[in-house]
Amino acid sequence: MNQEAVNILLVDDRPENLLALEGILEPLGQKLVRANSGPEALRCVLESEFATILLDVQMPGMNGFEVAEIIKSRERSRTIPIIFLSAISKEDAYVFKGYSMGAVDYVFKPFNPDVLRSKVAVFVDLFSKQRELQRQGELLRDAEKRELELEHRTSMLEAEARSAAKLSQMNEELHRRQVALEQAMGARNRFYASMSHELRTPINAVIGYSTLMLDNIYGSLNAKQKEGLQRTLKAARHLLELVNDVLDLSKIEAGKIELSLQPVMFPALIEDLFVTVRPLADDYGSTLTLEMESEPFNIVSDPRRVRQVLLNLLSNAIKFGEGKPIKVQCKQTEDHGVEIAVIDEGVGIASEDIARIFEEFVQVAESKQPGTGLGLPISRRLAQLLDGSLTVDSTPGQGSTFRLTLPASLEDDLTPQPALFAATVA
């Protein structure tokens, strides 16, 4: 039985060199893929699997070393064997750099066709064997799954034989519960669909008219009237916040959150958020400082969702910070992602309550601060949706540190072109 052909990537900016490589490797009977530049090679690696890559060192724009560095930085492609081909760079420093980039060989032009073909054949054979082992592993897992299913089916049949009536009753009850659950889920989905219009519209009307009246558009107000309207406006805004949080949570649970991926600049995004929350910080008497532990940089993510998470963390730090200074530390991680720590010196959180603060509608301590109990659960789910994490360290009476970590880019959600951009600028 013939093995399935595997892909071999040939990267060179000179067509005659690619033609020569194809002539040398054609006897191997594998699929030879051409790339005339570094960016084209990266797109090929994103789209297909390769047994090995033959990569020219000297290329205009993006040289072979730069291409190899990007390939090795990505989880999906870091194990692909790379053979560097060079006609000029024969110095030890270039050879050492090639091996340091993760190359398995560094071949000088002109090279011996038979030797090169033999080297490539080794990696083709290794790739084919690994793929065959993977297939055998999948077959074994399928066999184990079928065996478990068979054991389960046998057990169910034995149970049915012992108590057919009881099993029938259980099945009927399960069916009733399933129907009830489907009806409840349908009703909930219809409720969430109508909530945006049915609740937001009148709430916004209350907020709008209250604001107009406080601005004396309809005539002057006495002190008691202003106080009453201010309380009404505050309550309406709190209700709108609750509606928006519930809608966000429902969209996340239903998998209907759509991400708009684009460069997110740091520290510009945090500085912009400081402008937004400064009036709230002034009300509570807290100062805001930003510590940037690296040069300005960017990641590829959804800026609106990143803002939403950080805005919630900053608002919480201000509300529970007891008027003490609030510090934000931002740095670029080793894998070109970002780590942001929001640090307050407020009431803190007890160790037994750390896990509960990320549960819906939970407020772990008696507090006069307004809130829905949904901000942190939504923030953690958004962080996970962005392939990141949200963690907390806290000591009662000393304050809390919430740490948001995000990757350099969302690889699974990017098309080849944006992924190439993200890898290049990182």
Side-chain angles (χ1 to χ4, degrees), residues 159-178:
E160 183 178 6
R162 290 192 300 267
S163 183
K166 182 177 179 180
L167 182 59
S168 177
Q169 183 180 0
M170 291 174 62
N171 285 336
E172 290 177 1
E173 179 63 22
L174 179 61
H175 177 70
R176 284 195 296 269
R177 291 184 179 182
Q178 182 177 358

Side-chain angles (χ1 to χ4, degrees), residues 67-310:
V67 175
E69 185 177 9
I70 294 174
I71 291 174
K72 292 298 181 179
S73 69
R74 298 176 65 84
E75 184 67 30
R76 177 181 173 184
S77 58
R78 65 178 49 181
T79 59
I80 301 177
I82 297 177
I83 300 176
F84 278 121
L85 305 176
S86 176
I88 301 176
S89 305
K90 298 184 180 181
E91 293 85 354
D92 290 344
Y94 283 98
V95 176
F96 176 77
K97 184 174 182 180
Y99 284 113
S100 68
M101 291 294 174
V104 296
D105 207 346
Y106 196 106
V107 179
F108 299 112
K109 302 175 183 178
F111 39 76
N112 186 309
D114 294 330
V115 173
L116 182 62
R117 188 185 305 113
S118 298
K119 290 181 177 181
V120 174
V122 170
F123 294 115
V124 169
D125 185 58
L126 179 61
F127 182 84
S128 298
K129 285 183 169 59
Q130 289 175 338
R131 189 160 63 180
E132 183 60 30
L133 286 174
Q134 183 178 2
R135 289 175 180 172
Q136 290 178 1
E138 291 174 354
L139 290 174
L140 180 60
R141 286 191 292 273
D142 289 342
E144 292 174 347
K145 181 180 178 181
R146 287 194 296 271
E147 183 177 355
L148 289 173
E149 290 175 348
L150 180 60
E151 291 178 358
H152 177 69
R153 189 179 298 112
T154 301
S155 176
M156 291 296 293
L157 290 173
E158 291 174 352
E160 183 178 6
R162 290 192 300 267
S163 183
K166 182 177 179 180
L167 182 59
S168 177
Q169 183 180 0
M170 291 174 62
N171 285 336
E172 290 177 1
E173 179 63 22
L174 179 61
H175 177 70
R176 284 195 296 269
R177 291 184 179 182
Q178 182 177 358
V179 171
L181 178 60
E182 290 175 352
Q183 292 174 344
M185 292 291 289
R188 190 193 72 169
N189 291 337
R190 290 191 297 272
F191 171 72
Y192 286 152
S194 64
M195 181 184 290
S196 175
H197 177 75
E198 298 298 333
L199 290 181
R200 283 181 174 178
T201 299
I203 293 173
N204 284 327
V206 171
I207 293 174
Y209 282 114
S210 297
T211 303
L212 290 174
M213 294 178 71
L214 286 171
D215 290 338
N216 297 321
I217 299 299
Y218 300 111
S220 60
L221 303 173
N222 60 41
K224 285 291 184 181
Q225 290 171 330
K226 283 186 177 181
E227 181 182 357
L229 279 174
Q230 286 170 345
R231 290 181 179 179
T232 300
L233 184 59
K234 183 177 180 180
R237 285 172 174 166
H238 179 65
L239 181 58
L240 183 60
E241 178 185 355
L242 175 59
V243 170
N244 289 334
D245 284 348
V246 170
L247 285 171
D248 271 347
L249 185 63
S250 67
K251 288 179 181 178
I252 294 173
E253 289 180 346
K256 294 182 178 179
I257 290 287
E258 294 184 359
L259 299 180
S260 176
L261 302 183
Q262 53 188 287
V264 183
M265 309 301 297
F266 293 98
L269 183 139
I270 299 174
E271 293 170 343
D272 183 53
L273 282 173
F274 273 15
V275 174
T276 302
V277 301
R278 196 169 301 279
L280 180 64
D282 292 340
D283 289 343
Y284 282 82
S286 294
T287 59
L288 303 174
T289 49
L290 171 61
E291 295 181 359
M292 192 67 184
E293 300 182 14
S294 58
E295 293 297 319
F297 62 96
N298 72 282
I299 64 172
V300 176
S301 190
D302 187 328
R304 176 169 172 263
R305 297 304 175 182
V306 176
R307 280 179 56 89
Q308 184 175 351
V309 174
L310 291 178

Side-chain angles (χ1 to χ4, degrees), residues 241 280-281 284 286 312-326 343-349 357 362-373 375-376 394-400 402:
E241 178 185 355
L280 180 64
Y284 282 82
S286 294
N312 180 68
L313 297 183
L314 284 169
S315 299
N316 282 351
I318 293 170
K319 293 175 182 177
F320 297 97
E322 297 186 322
K324 297 178 181 178
I326 294 168
I343 306 168
D344 68 68
E345 302 175 14
V347 296
I349 307 167
I357 65 174
V362 171
Q363 291 180 306
V364 297
E366 292 292 334
S367 175
K368 297 181 180 179
Q369 302 300 336
T372 64
L376 286 176
S394 187
T395 302
Q398 298 183 19
S400 305
F402 284 85

